Each structure stands twice: as C-alpha cells, then as structure tokens.
Coordinates of all heavy atoms in Angstrom, one line a residue:
M252 N 73.3 123.5 231.1 CA 72.4 124.3 231.9 C 71.3 123.4 232.5 O 70.7 122.6 231.8 CB 71.7 125.4 231.1 CG 70.9 126.4 231.9 SD 70.5 127.8 230.9 CE 68.7 127.7 231.0
E253 N 71.0 123.6 233.8 CA 70.0 122.7 234.5 C 68.6 123.1 234.0 O 68.4 124.3 233.7 CB 70.2 122.9 236.0 CG 69.3 121.9 236.7 CD 69.2 122.2 238.2 OE1 70.2 122.5 238.8 OE2 68.1 122.1 238.7
Q254 N 67.7 122.2 234.0 CA 66.4 122.4 233.5 C 65.7 123.6 234.2 O 65.0 124.3 233.5 CB 65.5 121.1 233.7 CG 64.1 121.2 233.3 CD 63.9 121.2 231.9 OE1 64.8 120.9 231.1 NE2 62.7 121.5 231.4
N255 N 65.8 123.7 235.5 CA 65.0 124.8 236.2 C 65.8 125.9 236.7 O 65.4 126.6 237.6 CB 64.2 124.1 237.3 CG 63.3 123.0 236.8 OD1 62.6 123.2 235.8 ND2 63.2 121.9 237.5
D256 N 66.9 126.2 236.0 CA 67.8 127.3 236.5 C 67.1 128.6 236.6 O 67.4 129.4 237.5 CB 69.0 127.4 235.5 CG 70.2 126.6 236.0 OD1 70.1 126.0 237.1 OD2 71.2 126.7 235.3
N257 N 66.3 129.0 235.6 CA 65.8 130.3 235.5 C 64.4 130.5 236.2 O 63.9 131.6 236.3 CB 65.7 130.8 234.1 CG 67.0 130.9 233.5 OD1 68.0 131.4 234.1 ND2 67.1 130.6 232.2
I258 N 63.8 129.5 236.7 CA 62.5 129.6 237.4 C 62.6 130.5 238.6 O 63.5 130.4 239.4 CB 61.9 128.2 237.7 CG1 61.5 127.5 236.4 CG2 60.7 128.3 238.6 CD1 60.9 126.1 236.6
G259 N 61.7 131.5 238.6 CA 61.6 132.4 239.7 C 62.4 133.7 239.4 O 62.3 134.7 240.2
K260 N 63.1 133.7 238.3 CA 63.9 134.9 237.9 C 63.0 136.0 237.4 O 62.0 135.7 236.7 CB 64.9 134.6 236.9 CG 66.2 134.1 237.4 CD 67.4 134.5 236.6 CE 68.6 134.2 237.4 NZ 69.8 134.6 236.8
V261 N 63.3 137.2 237.7 CA 62.6 138.4 237.1 C 63.2 138.7 235.8 O 64.4 138.8 235.7 CB 62.7 139.6 238.1 CG1 62.0 140.8 237.5 CG2 62.0 139.2 239.4
V262 N 62.4 138.8 234.7 CA 62.8 139.2 233.4 C 62.1 140.4 232.9 O 61.0 140.7 233.4 CB 62.6 138.0 232.4 CG1 63.6 136.8 232.8 CG2 61.2 137.5 232.4
Y263 N 62.6 141.0 231.9 CA 62.1 142.2 231.2 C 61.8 141.9 229.8 O 62.7 141.3 229.1 CB 63.2 143.3 231.4 CG 62.8 144.6 230.7 CD1 62.0 145.5 231.4 CD2 63.4 145.0 229.5 CE1 61.7 146.7 230.8 CE2 63.1 146.2 229.0 CZ 62.3 147.1 229.6 OH 62.0 148.3 229.0
S264 N 60.6 142.1 229.3 CA 60.3 141.8 227.9 C 60.8 142.9 227.0 O 60.6 144.1 227.1 CB 58.8 141.7 227.8 OG 58.4 141.5 226.4
K265 N 61.6 142.4 225.9 CA 62.2 143.3 225.0 C 61.4 143.4 223.7 O 61.7 144.3 222.8 CB 63.6 142.9 224.6 CG 64.6 142.9 225.8 CD 66.0 142.6 225.3 CE 66.1 141.2 224.8 NZ 67.5 140.8 224.5
A266 N 60.4 142.5 223.5 CA 59.7 142.5 222.2 C 58.3 142.0 222.4 O 58.0 141.3 223.4 CB 60.4 141.6 221.2
G267 N 57.4 142.3 221.5 CA 56.0 141.9 221.5 C 55.1 142.8 222.2 O 55.4 144.0 222.5
R268 N 53.8 142.4 222.3 CA 52.8 143.3 222.9 C 53.1 143.6 224.4 O 52.7 144.7 224.9 CB 51.5 142.5 223.0 CG 50.7 142.6 221.7 CD 49.4 142.0 221.9 NE 49.0 141.4 220.6 CZ 47.8 140.9 220.4 NH1 46.9 140.8 221.4 NH2 47.5 140.4 219.2
D269 N 53.8 142.7 225.0 CA 54.2 142.9 226.5 C 55.5 143.6 226.6 O 56.1 143.6 227.7 CB 54.1 141.6 227.2 CG 54.9 140.5 226.5 OD1 55.8 140.9 225.7 OD2 54.7 139.4 226.8
K270 N 56.0 144.3 225.6 CA 57.3 144.9 225.6 C 57.4 145.9 226.8 O 56.3 146.6 227.1 CB 57.5 145.7 224.3 CG 58.9 146.3 224.2 CD 59.1 147.0 222.8 CE 60.4 147.6 222.8 NZ 60.6 148.4 221.6
D271 N 58.5 146.1 227.4 CA 58.7 147.0 228.5 C 58.0 146.6 229.8 O 57.8 147.5 230.7 CB 58.4 148.4 228.1 CG 59.2 149.0 227.0 OD1 60.3 148.5 226.8 OD2 58.7 149.9 226.2
R272 N 57.7 145.4 230.0 CA 57.0 144.9 231.2 C 57.9 143.9 231.9 O 58.7 143.2 231.2 CB 55.7 144.3 231.0 CG 54.6 145.3 230.5 CD 53.3 144.6 230.3 NE 52.7 144.1 231.6 CZ 51.9 144.7 232.4 NH1 51.5 145.9 232.1 NH2 51.5 144.1 233.5
F273 N 57.8 143.8 233.2 CA 58.5 142.8 234.0 C 57.7 141.6 234.3 O 56.4 141.7 234.5 CB 59.0 143.4 235.3 CG 60.2 144.4 235.1 CD1 59.9 145.7 234.9 CD2 61.5 143.9 235.1 CE1 61.0 146.6 234.7 CE2 62.5 144.8 234.9 CZ 62.3 146.1 234.7
F274 N 58.3 140.4 234.2 CA 57.6 139.2 234.5 C 58.5 138.3 235.4 O 59.7 138.5 235.5 CB 57.3 138.4 233.2 CG 56.3 139.1 232.3 CD1 56.8 140.1 231.3 CD2 55.0 138.9 232.4 CE1 55.9 140.7 230.5 CE2 54.1 139.6 231.5 CZ 54.6 140.5 230.6
I275 N 57.9 137.2 235.8 CA 58.7 136.2 236.5 C 58.6 134.9 235.7 O 57.5 134.5 235.2 CB 58.1 135.9 238.0 CG1 58.4 137.2 238.8 CG2 58.8 134.7 238.6 CD1 58.0 137.1 240.2
I276 N 59.7 134.2 235.5 CA 59.7 132.9 234.8 C 59.0 131.9 235.7 O 59.5 131.6 236.8 CB 61.1 132.5 234.4 CG1 61.6 133.5 233.4 CG2 61.1 131.1 233.8 CD1 63.0 133.2 232.9
V277 N 58.0 131.2 235.2 CA 57.3 130.2 236.0 C 57.4 128.8 235.4 O 56.9 127.9 236.0 CB 55.8 130.6 236.2 CG1 55.6 131.9 237.0 CG2 55.1 130.8 234.8
G278 N 58.0 128.7 234.3 CA 58.2 127.4 233.7 C 59.1 127.4 232.5 O 59.4 128.5 232.0
K279 N 59.6 126.2 232.1 CA 60.5 126.1 230.9 C 59.9 125.1 230.0 O 59.6 124.0 230.4 CB 61.9 125.8 231.4 CG 62.8 125.7 230.2 CD 64.2 125.4 230.7 CE 65.2 125.3 229.5 NZ 66.5 125.0 229.8
L280 N 59.8 125.5 228.7 CA 59.3 124.6 227.7 C 60.4 123.8 227.1 O 60.4 122.6 227.1 CB 58.5 125.3 226.6 CG 57.9 124.5 225.5 CD1 56.8 123.6 226.1 CD2 57.2 125.4 224.5
N281 N 61.4 124.5 226.6 CA 62.6 123.9 226.1 C 63.8 124.9 226.1 O 63.7 125.9 226.9 CB 62.4 123.4 224.6 CG 61.8 124.5 223.7 OD1 62.2 125.7 223.9 ND2 60.9 124.1 222.8
D282 N 64.8 124.7 225.4 CA 66.0 125.6 225.4 C 65.7 127.0 224.8 O 66.4 127.9 225.0 CB 67.2 125.0 224.7 CG 67.8 123.9 225.6 OD1 67.5 123.9 226.8 OD2 68.5 123.1 225.0
E283 N 64.6 127.1 224.0 CA 64.3 128.3 223.4 C 63.1 129.1 224.0 O 63.1 130.3 223.9 CB 63.9 128.0 221.9 CG 64.1 129.1 221.0 CD 63.8 128.7 219.5 OE1 63.8 127.5 219.2 OE2 63.5 129.6 218.7
Y284 N 62.2 128.4 224.7 CA 61.0 129.0 225.2 C 60.9 128.8 226.7 O 61.2 127.8 227.3 CB 59.7 128.4 224.6 CG 59.5 128.8 223.2 CD1 59.9 128.0 222.1 CD2 58.8 130.0 222.8 CE1 59.7 128.4 220.8 CE2 58.6 130.4 221.5 CZ 59.1 129.6 220.5 OH 58.8 129.9 219.2
V285 N 60.3 129.9 227.4 CA 60.0 129.8 228.8 C 58.5 130.3 229.0 O 58.0 130.9 228.0 CB 60.9 130.6 229.7 CG1 62.3 130.0 229.8 CG2 60.9 132.1 229.3
Y286 N 57.9 130.0 230.1 CA 56.6 130.5 230.4 C 56.8 131.7 231.5 O 57.5 131.5 232.4 CB 55.7 129.5 231.0 CG 55.3 128.4 230.0 CD1 55.8 127.2 230.0 CD2 54.4 128.7 229.0 CE1 55.4 126.2 229.1 CE2 54.0 127.8 228.1 CZ 54.5 126.5 228.1 OH 54.1 125.6 227.2
I287 N 56.1 132.8 231.2 CA 56.3 133.9 232.1 C 54.9 134.4 232.6 O 53.9 134.2 231.9 CB 57.0 135.1 231.4 CG1 56.3 135.6 230.1 CG2 58.4 134.8 231.1 CD1 56.8 136.8 229.5
S288 N 54.9 135.0 233.8 CA 53.6 135.5 234.3 C 53.9 136.8 235.1 O 55.0 136.9 235.7 CB 53.0 134.4 235.3 OG 51.9 135.0 235.9
D289 N 53.0 137.7 235.2 CA 53.1 138.9 236.0 C 52.0 138.9 237.0 O 51.9 139.9 237.8 CB 53.2 140.1 235.2 CG 51.9 140.5 234.4 OD1 51.0 139.7 234.5 OD2 51.9 141.5 233.8
G290 N 51.1 138.0 237.0 CA 50.0 137.9 238.0 C 48.9 138.9 237.7 O 47.9 139.0 238.4
C291 N 49.0 139.6 236.6 CA 48.0 140.7 236.3 C 47.6 140.5 234.8 O 46.5 140.0 234.6 CB 48.7 142.0 236.5 SG 47.6 143.4 236.4
L292 N 48.4 140.9 233.9 CA 48.1 140.7 232.5 C 48.2 139.2 232.1 O 47.4 138.7 231.4 CB 49.2 141.5 231.7 CG 49.0 141.7 230.2 CD1 47.8 142.6 230.0 CD2 50.2 142.2 229.5
R293 N 49.2 138.5 232.6 CA 49.4 137.1 232.3 C 49.3 136.4 233.6 O 50.2 136.4 234.5 CB 50.8 136.9 231.7 CG 50.8 137.2 230.3 CD 49.9 136.3 229.5 NE 49.8 136.7 228.1 CZ 49.1 136.0 227.3 NH1 48.5 134.9 227.6 NH2 49.0 136.4 226.0
L294 N 48.2 135.6 233.8 CA 48.0 134.9 235.1 C 48.7 133.6 235.1 O 49.1 133.1 234.1 CB 46.5 134.7 235.2 CG 45.6 136.0 235.2 CD1 44.1 135.6 235.3 CD2 46.0 137.0 236.3
M295 N 48.8 133.0 236.3 CA 49.5 131.7 236.5 C 48.7 130.6 235.7 O 49.3 129.7 235.3 CB 49.6 131.4 238.0 CG 50.8 131.9 238.6 SD 52.3 131.4 237.9 CE 52.3 129.6 238.2
E296 N 47.4 130.8 235.6 CA 46.6 129.8 235.0 C 46.8 129.8 233.5 O 46.6 128.8 232.8 CB 45.1 130.1 235.2 CG 44.6 130.0 236.6 CD 45.0 131.2 237.4 OE1 44.8 132.3 237.0 OE2 45.4 131.0 238.6
K297 N 47.3 130.9 232.9 CA 47.6 131.0 231.5 C 48.8 131.8 231.3 O 48.7 132.9 230.8 CB 46.4 131.6 230.8 CG 46.4 131.4 229.3 CD 45.1 131.8 228.6 CE 45.2 131.5 227.2 NZ 44.6 132.4 226.3
P298 N 50.0 131.3 231.6 CA 51.2 132.0 231.4 C 51.6 132.2 230.0 O 51.1 131.5 229.1 CB 52.3 131.2 232.1 CG 51.7 129.8 232.1 CD 50.2 129.9 232.1
K299 N 52.3 133.2 229.7 CA 52.8 133.5 228.3 C 54.0 132.7 227.9 O 54.9 132.6 228.6 CB 53.1 135.0 228.2 CG 53.8 135.5 227.0 CD 52.8 136.0 226.0 CE 53.5 136.6 224.8 NZ 53.1 136.0 223.5
K300 N 53.9 132.1 226.7 CA 55.0 131.4 226.2 C 55.9 132.4 225.5 O 55.4 133.1 224.6 CB 54.6 130.3 225.2 CG 55.7 129.4 224.7 CD 55.2 128.3 223.8 CE 55.2 128.7 222.4 NZ 54.8 127.6 221.5
K301 N 57.1 132.5 225.8 CA 58.0 133.6 225.3 C 59.4 133.0 224.9 O 59.9 132.2 225.7 CB 58.1 134.7 226.4 CG 58.7 135.9 225.9 CD 57.7 136.9 225.4 CE 58.3 138.2 225.2 NZ 57.5 139.0 224.3
K302 N 59.9 133.5 223.8 CA 61.2 133.1 223.4 C 62.2 133.8 224.4 O 62.1 135.0 224.7 CB 61.5 133.6 222.0 CG 61.0 132.7 221.0 CD 61.6 133.0 219.6 CE 61.0 132.0 218.6 NZ 61.6 132.1 217.3
I303 N 63.2 133.0 224.8 CA 64.2 133.5 225.7 C 65.0 134.7 225.1 O 65.3 135.7 225.8 CB 65.2 132.4 226.1 CG1 64.5 131.4 227.0 CG2 66.4 132.9 226.9 CD1 65.3 130.1 227.3
R304 N 65.2 134.7 223.8 CA 65.9 135.8 223.2 C 65.2 137.1 223.2 O 65.7 138.2 223.0 CB 66.4 135.4 221.8 CG 65.3 135.4 220.8 CD 65.9 135.2 219.4 NE 64.8 135.3 218.4 CZ 64.8 134.6 217.3 NH1 65.7 133.8 217.0 NH2 63.8 134.8 216.4
H305 N 63.9 137.1 223.5 CA 63.1 138.3 223.6 C 63.0 138.8 225.0 O 62.2 139.7 225.3 CB 61.7 138.1 223.1 CG 61.6 137.8 221.6 ND1 60.6 137.2 221.0 CD2 62.5 138.1 220.6 CE1 60.8 137.2 219.7 NE2 62.0 137.7 219.4
L306 N 63.7 138.2 225.9 CA 63.7 138.6 227.3 C 65.1 139.1 227.8 O 66.1 138.6 227.3 CB 63.4 137.4 228.2 CG 62.0 136.8 228.0 CD1 61.8 135.5 228.8 CD2 60.9 137.8 228.4
S307 N 65.1 140.0 228.7 CA 66.3 140.5 229.3 C 66.3 140.1 230.7 O 65.3 140.4 231.4 CB 66.3 142.0 229.1 OG 67.5 142.5 229.7
F308 N 67.3 139.4 231.2 CA 67.3 138.9 232.5 C 67.8 139.9 233.5 O 68.8 140.6 233.2 CB 68.2 137.6 232.6 CG 67.6 136.4 232.0 CD1 67.6 136.2 230.6 CD2 67.0 135.5 232.8 CE1 67.0 135.2 230.0 CE2 66.3 134.4 232.2 CZ 66.4 134.2 230.8
T309 N 67.1 140.0 234.7 CA 67.6 140.9 235.7 C 68.4 140.0 236.7 O 68.4 138.8 236.6 CB 66.4 141.5 236.5 OG1 65.7 140.5 237.1 CG2 65.5 142.3 235.5
N310 N 69.0 140.7 237.7 CA 69.7 139.9 238.7 C 68.8 139.5 239.9 O 69.3 138.9 240.9 CB 70.8 140.8 239.3 CG 71.9 141.0 238.3 OD1 72.1 140.2 237.4 ND2 72.5 142.2 238.3
M311 N 67.5 139.8 239.7 CA 66.6 139.5 240.8 C 65.9 138.1 240.7 O 65.6 137.7 239.6 CB 65.5 140.5 240.9 CG 65.2 141.0 242.3 SD 64.1 142.3 242.3 CE 64.8 143.5 241.4
L312 N 65.8 137.4 241.8 CA 65.2 136.1 241.9 C 64.2 136.1 243.1 O 64.6 136.5 244.2 CB 66.3 135.1 242.0 CG 65.8 133.6 242.3 CD1 65.3 133.0 241.0 CD2 67.0 132.8 242.8
S313 N 63.0 135.6 242.9 CA 62.1 135.4 244.0 C 62.3 133.9 244.5 O 61.7 133.0 243.9 CB 60.7 135.6 243.5 OG 59.8 135.2 244.6
E314 N 63.0 133.8 245.6 CA 63.2 132.4 246.1 C 61.9 131.8 246.5 O 61.7 130.6 246.3 CB 64.1 132.5 247.4 CG 65.6 132.7 247.0 CD 66.2 131.5 246.3 OE1 65.7 130.4 246.4 OE2 67.2 131.7 245.6
E315 N 61.0 132.6 247.1 CA 59.7 132.0 247.6 C 58.9 131.4 246.4 O 58.4 130.3 246.5 CB 58.9 133.1 248.3 CG 57.6 132.7 248.8 CD 56.7 133.8 249.4 OE1 57.1 135.0 249.3 OE2 55.7 133.5 249.9
I316 N 58.8 132.2 245.3 CA 58.0 131.7 244.2 C 58.7 130.5 243.5 O 58.1 129.5 243.2 CB 57.8 132.9 243.2 CG1 56.9 133.9 243.8 CG2 57.3 132.4 241.9 CD1 56.8 135.2 243.0
R317 N 60.1 130.6 243.4 CA 60.8 129.5 242.9 C 60.6 128.2 243.7 O 60.3 127.1 243.1 CB 62.3 129.8 242.9 CG 63.2 128.7 242.4 CD 64.7 129.2 242.4 NE 65.6 128.0 242.2 CZ 65.9 127.5 241.0 NH1 65.4 128.1 239.9 NH2 66.7 126.5 240.9
E318 N 60.7 128.3 245.0 CA 60.5 127.1 245.8 C 59.1 126.5 245.7 O 58.9 125.3 245.6 CB 60.7 127.4 247.3 CG 62.2 127.7 247.6 CD 63.2 126.6 247.2 OE1 62.9 125.4 247.4 OE2 64.2 126.9 246.6
L319 N 58.1 127.4 245.6 CA 56.7 126.9 245.4 C 56.5 126.2 244.1 O 55.8 125.2 244.0 CB 55.7 128.1 245.5 CG 55.5 128.7 246.9 CD1 54.7 130.0 246.9 CD2 54.7 127.6 247.8
I320 N 57.1 126.7 243.0 CA 56.9 126.1 241.7 C 57.6 124.8 241.7 O 57.1 123.8 241.2 CB 57.5 127.0 240.6 CG1 56.6 128.3 240.5 CG2 57.6 126.3 239.3 CD1 57.2 129.4 239.6
L321 N 58.9 124.7 242.2 CA 59.7 123.5 242.1 C 59.1 122.4 243.0 O 59.3 121.2 242.7 CB 61.1 123.8 242.5 CG 61.9 124.7 241.4 CD1 63.3 124.9 241.9 CD2 61.9 124.1 240.1
S322 N 58.4 122.8 244.1 CA 57.8 121.8 244.9 C 56.4 121.4 244.5 O 55.8 120.5 245.1 CB 57.7 122.3 246.4 OG 56.9 123.4 246.5
G323 N 56.0 122.0 243.4 CA 54.7 121.6 242.8 C 53.5 122.2 243.4 O 52.3 121.8 243.1
N324 N 53.6 123.2 244.3 CA 52.5 123.9 244.9 C 51.9 124.9 243.9 O 52.6 125.3 243.0 CB 52.9 124.6 246.1 CG 53.3 123.6 247.2 OD1 52.7 122.6 247.4 ND2 54.3 124.0 248.0
T325 N 50.6 125.2 244.1 CA 50.0 126.2 243.3 C 50.4 127.6 243.8 O 50.6 127.8 245.0 CB 48.5 126.1 243.3 OG1 48.0 126.1 244.6 CG2 48.1 124.8 242.6
I326 N 50.5 128.5 242.9 CA 50.9 129.9 243.3 C 49.8 130.8 242.9 O 49.3 130.7 241.7 CB 52.2 130.3 242.5 CG1 53.3 129.4 242.9 CG2 52.5 131.8 242.7 CD1 54.4 129.3 241.9
N327 N 49.4 131.7 243.8 CA 48.3 132.6 243.4 C 48.9 133.8 242.8 O 50.1 134.2 243.0 CB 47.3 132.9 244.5 CG 48.0 133.4 245.8 OD1 49.2 133.7 245.7 ND2 47.3 133.4 246.9
N328 N 48.1 134.5 241.9 CA 48.6 135.6 241.1 C 49.0 136.8 242.0 O 49.9 137.5 241.7 CB 47.6 136.0 240.1 CG 47.4 135.0 239.1 OD1 48.3 134.6 238.4 ND2 46.1 134.5 238.9
S329 N 48.3 136.9 243.2 CA 48.6 138.0 244.0 C 50.1 137.9 244.6 O 50.7 139.0 244.8 CB 47.6 138.1 245.2 OG 47.7 137.0 246.0
L330 N 50.6 136.7 244.8 CA 52.0 136.6 245.2 C 52.9 137.1 244.2 O 53.9 137.9 244.6 CB 52.2 135.1 245.5 CG 53.6 134.7 246.1 CD1 53.7 135.3 247.5 CD2 53.8 133.2 246.1
I331 N 52.7 136.9 242.9 CA 53.6 137.4 241.9 C 53.4 138.9 241.8 O 54.4 139.6 241.7 CB 53.2 136.7 240.5 CG1 53.6 135.2 240.6 CG2 54.0 137.4 239.4 CD1 53.2 134.4 239.4
R332 N 52.2 139.4 241.8 CA 51.9 140.8 241.7 C 52.6 141.5 242.8 O 53.3 142.5 242.6 CB 50.4 141.1 241.8 CG 49.7 141.2 240.5 CD 48.4 141.8 240.6 NE 47.6 141.4 241.6 CZ 46.7 140.3 241.6 NH1 46.6 139.6 240.4 NH2 46.0 139.9 242.6
K333 N 52.5 141.0 244.1 CA 53.1 141.7 245.2 C 54.6 141.7 245.1 O 55.2 142.7 245.5 CB 52.6 141.0 246.5 CG 51.2 141.3 247.0 CD 50.9 140.6 248.2 CE 49.4 140.8 248.5 NZ 48.8 139.7 249.3
F334 N 55.2 140.6 244.7 CA 56.6 140.6 244.5 C 57.1 141.7 243.5 O 58.0 142.5 243.8 CB 57.1 139.2 244.1 CG 58.6 139.2 244.0 CD1 59.4 139.0 245.1 CD2 59.3 139.4 242.7 CE1 60.8 139.0 245.0 CE2 60.6 139.4 242.6 CZ 61.4 139.2 243.7
L335 N 56.5 141.7 242.4 CA 56.9 142.7 241.4 C 56.6 144.1 241.8 O 57.4 145.0 241.6 CB 56.1 142.4 240.0 CG 56.6 141.1 239.3 CD1 55.7 140.9 238.1 CD2 58.0 141.2 238.9
Q336 N 55.4 144.4 242.5 CA 55.1 145.7 243.0 C 56.0 146.1 244.1 O 56.4 147.3 244.2 CB 53.7 145.8 243.4 CG 52.7 145.8 242.2 CD 51.3 145.6 242.6 OE1 51.0 145.4 243.8 NE2 50.4 145.7 241.6
S337 N 56.4 145.2 245.0 CA 57.2 145.5 246.1 C 58.6 145.9 245.7 O 59.3 146.6 246.4 CB 57.3 144.4 247.1 OG 58.0 143.3 246.6
H338 N 59.0 145.5 244.5 CA 60.3 145.9 244.0 C 60.1 147.0 242.9 O 61.1 147.2 242.2 CB 61.0 144.6 243.4 CG 61.4 143.7 244.5 ND1 60.6 142.8 245.0 CD2 62.6 143.5 245.1 CE1 61.2 142.1 246.0 NE2 62.4 142.5 246.0
D339 N 58.9 147.5 242.8 CA 58.6 148.6 241.9 C 59.0 148.3 240.5 O 59.4 149.2 239.7 CB 59.4 149.9 242.4 CG 58.4 150.9 243.0 OD1 57.2 150.5 243.1 OD2 58.8 152.0 243.4
M340 N 58.8 147.1 240.0 CA 59.2 146.7 238.7 C 58.5 147.4 237.6 O 59.1 148.1 236.8 CB 59.1 145.2 238.5 CG 59.9 144.4 239.4 SD 61.6 145.0 239.5 CE 62.4 143.8 238.6
N341 N 57.2 147.3 237.6 CA 56.5 147.9 236.4 C 56.3 149.4 236.5 O 55.8 150.0 235.7 CB 55.1 147.2 236.3 CG 55.3 145.8 235.6 OD1 56.1 145.6 234.8 ND2 54.5 144.9 236.1
K342 N 56.8 150.0 237.6 CA 56.7 151.4 237.8 C 58.0 152.1 237.3 O 58.1 153.3 237.1 CB 56.4 151.8 239.2 CG 55.1 151.3 239.7 CD 54.8 151.7 241.1 CE 53.5 151.0 241.6 NZ 53.7 149.9 242.5
E343 N 59.0 151.3 237.1 CA 60.3 151.8 236.6 C 60.3 152.3 235.2 O 61.0 153.2 234.8 CB 61.4 150.8 236.7 CG 62.0 150.6 238.1 CD 63.1 149.5 238.0 OE1 63.4 149.0 237.0 OE2 63.5 149.1 239.1
V344 N 59.4 151.7 234.4 CA 59.4 151.9 233.0 C 58.8 153.2 232.6 O 57.9 153.7 233.2 CB 58.6 150.8 232.3 CG1 58.5 151.0 230.8 CG2 59.2 149.4 232.6

C-alpha cells in the first residue's frame, strides 16, 4: 500500500468520543494510525490521531483536499467543513 493512498478519503468513526461522525483523512502516521479532521470539532491545526480499525471507509474522496495536502499547501478548516456539509455527511447520522 502506498504511503498516501487514503489521504483525502471520507471516513466514518466507529468508536470513541467522535463515534458516528464523518471526517477526512489528512495524514498518515503509520500502518495503524491516521490523522483525521472535520474542520469543526477537529481542526487542521490539531487533527485527531485515530486507529484505522476504528474507522469505516466510504467510497468518497475529496480530490481538491487531497491535492492540497500532497502538494504541501495549507488547508483551511472551512474547506473541509464545506466538503462534508455539501455531501450532507454529518446530517445523515
């Protein structure tokens, strides 16, 4: 598996305080942990370190956010919020 395969993917938290919320993967620590952010509860400045096994992957990917992260640009939280809201992610629950 390539290092940055999952960056930009929308995931669903299955465990912990943030259970039943949607996030976007913004970084990878190792094979077991990733960093997630929703631009609201978890900001880009302080993303949540989360075990991959506590996440459920969706088929959705934000190409725009993925490209910004991989190119080293800073991402503002409103971009993540708008993406998740435009796809009605946190309203589905």
Side-chain angles (χ1 to χ4, degrees):
M252 187 169 125
E253 189 192 316
Q254 177 71 14
N255 299 319
D256 265 1
N257 292 324
I258 289 183
K260 274 212 171 184
V261 176
V262 292
Y263 178 78
S264 176
K265 298 188 293 188
R268 279 186 209 185
D269 51 21
K270 185 178 180 190
D271 298 335
R272 290 181 65 93
F273 286 92
F274 296 89
I275 292 180
I276 294 179
V277 296
K279 181 175 178 181
L280 182 62
N281 54 34
D282 286 341
E283 202 177 341
Y284 288 96
V285 291
Y286 290 108
I287 56 174
S288 173
D289 65 356
C291 191
L292 189 71
R293 283 295 173 176
L294 304 176
M295 272 303 293
E296 295 79 41
K297 197 172 184 218
K299 170 93 173 125
K300 183 174 95 173
K301 190 89 171 162
K302 280 193 175 185
I303 292 175
R304 71 174 188 213
H305 292 160
L306 296 171
S307 180
F308 286 79
T309 66
N310 293 330
M311 224 175 301
L312 173 75
S313 171
E314 284 293 338
E315 181 186 4
I316 292 172
R317 178 180 167 81
E318 292 305 315
L319 285 169
I320 291 170
L321 293 178
S322 63
N324 293 324
T325 55
I326 297 155
N327 53 13
N328 294 303
S329 62
L330 186 66
I331 293 175
R332 268 196 314 271
K333 282 178 189 158
F334 180 82
L335 291 174
Q336 285 169 359
S337 69
H338 292 80
D339 254 2
M340 296 314 252
N341 284 323
K342 295 180 186 107
E343 279 179 7
V344 179

